[in-house]
Amino acid sequence: MNFPVVVGLPQVILFLLAVVGIGLLISTAMGISGRRSGRYRGDEDEEDARKFGRHHRYRRRLPIGRGILGLVLVLLALSLLWLTLLVQTYLGLTSDIKVARVHATPVANADHLMSVELILYNQNGHQTSDQTYLVKGDDWRLEGDIIKFPTWLNILGLHSGYKLTRMEGRYEDPNLERSNLPTVIPLNGGDDNFFKTVQEQAWVSPVVEAAYGSGTFLRADGKTYDVLASQTGLFAEPVK
C-alpha cells in the first residue's frame, strides 16, 4: 500500500500565513491588555498607597483610535487563519495522484482483443514499469485497493492509501462476458494481507474511515489515459 503525504510549497506558504496570523492575534491581545491596565492614576493615588500600605490598580480608558486599530489587527489575524484553513482543506481534499498511464488499441483482424501498454508510477510520480499486454475484451479495466482516512487527516496532508492490484479485460456484451474468460493480469502482488486485515477492522478503527476496492474502465480507443487515485478511488482522464 502507498500512503502519500501531500506536503509541498503551497503547504509551506499556508503554514507561514498561519504563523503570521497567530502572531498578530497574540500581539494584538497583549497590546490591548497592556494598555488597559496601569499602576497609579497620579501622585495623589501613589501618596495614598504609601500612606495606607496598599496598592491598587485602575482601568485606563482605551483611546478610540487604538481600539479600532486593535480590532482591525484581530480581524486580519482571524482572516489569515480562516484563509489558511480553507485553502488547505481544498488542497487536501482535491489532491489526486497519478498511478498509471494506459494506451489501449484494438488488434487488427482480431475480434475482442486489444494491445494495452501500461505504465505504472510510484507515489512520488516516478515511473516504475512499462509493459505491453494482449488483453481479451473490448474495454480495459484497472482495479485497486483503497484505504480511506477521515477528512481531518486528508486536510492535514495524509492522502488515502492505495494499491493497484490488477488489470483485466471487459466485454461490452454481457453474453460474451459470460461465455468468454477475460484476461486478468495481477499487479503489485494483488491483494495483500495488510489490506484484508484493515478491511476487516476498519469499522472499529478511529483513523480508518473505510477500506474497499475501486476500479475504472474505458474502451480501447487508441487514446492515452492517466489513471489517478483521489481521496475516494480510482478514475481515468485523457492525456492532453
Side-chain angles (χ1 to χ4, degrees):
M1 294 293 296
N2 299 290
F3 298 97
V5 177
V6 183
V7 177
L9 181 60
Q11 282 74 19
V12 173
I13 294 175
L14 290 175
F15 175 76
L16 293 177
L17 284 176
V19 170
V20 171
I22 294 174
L24 276 175
L25 198 60
I26 295 175
S27 176
T28 303
M30 293 180 63
I32 292 176
S33 176
R35 294 191 194 103
R36 292 183 61 187
S37 62
R39 187 67 173 168
Y40 304 107
R41 281 180 290 186
D43 295 338
E44 186 177 335
D45 285 342
E46 188 174 359
E47 180 66 25
D48 289 342
R50 285 198 299 266
K51 185 181 298 183
F52 296 104
R54 63 185 181 186
H55 299 282
H56 60 277
R57 304 182 71 84
Y58 71 94
R59 296 283 181 182
R60 182 183 296 171
R61 291 184 178 179
L62 187 66
I64 295 178
R66 291 182 178 179
I68 294 176
L69 177 61
L71 179 60
V72 170
L73 290 176
V74 169
L75 292 177
L76 177 60
L78 292 176
S79 298
L80 284 175
L81 293 175
W82 181 245
L83 176 64
T84 300
L85 178 61
L86 287 180
V87 175
Q88 179 56 31
T89 299
Y90 174 79
L91 292 175
L93 298 180
T94 59
S95 56
D96 303 323
I97 298 176
K98 184 168 72 172
V99 298
R101 175 167 288 186
V102 180
H103 179 76
T105 56
V107 175
N109 302 319
D111 294 333
H112 312 295
L113 184 65
M114 53 188 161
S115 174
V116 182
E117 180 186 13
L118 175 64
I119 301 175
L120 299 181
Y121 300 89
N122 62 18
Q123 64 185 38
N124 298 317
H126 300 143
Q127 180 178 322
T128 58
S129 68
D130 185 350
Q131 300 288 334
T132 300
Y133 306 93
L134 283 177
V135 179
K136 296 179 181 179
D138 304 304
D139 307 332
W140 57 267
R141 177 181 174 89
L142 273 182
E143 296 181 357
D145 298 333
I146 300 292
I147 295 179
K148 189 177 185 308
F149 299 113
T151 302
W152 63 270
L153 283 177
N154 299 149
I155 293 175
L156 292 178
L158 182 60
H159 195 280
S160 294
Y162 69 88
K163 178 185 178 182
L164 290 181
T165 56
R166 68 167 62 185
M167 180 176 69
E168 62 183 33
R170 177 181 179 274
Y171 292 95
E172 293 184 345
D173 186 347
N175 294 320
L176 289 175
E177 191 82 27
R178 284 194 295 265
S179 59
N180 294 274
L181 292 177
T183 303
V184 178
I185 301 167
L187 301 173
N188 301 316
D191 296 325
D192 52 33
N193 291 329
F194 175 77
F195 173 76
K196 294 176 181 178
T197 301
V198 173
Q199 189 177 38
E200 292 172 355
Q201 300 179 359
W203 65 279
V204 296
S205 173
V207 295
V208 175
E209 192 170 279
Y212 51 88
S214 177
T216 183
F217 65 88
L218 283 170
R219 185 175 178 81
D221 55 8
K223 299 178 182 179
T224 302
Y225 295 89
D226 282 335
V227 177
L228 299 99
S230 69
Q231 298 288 11
T232 56
L234 302 175
F235 69 96
E237 63 180 19
V239 176
K240 299 178 181 179

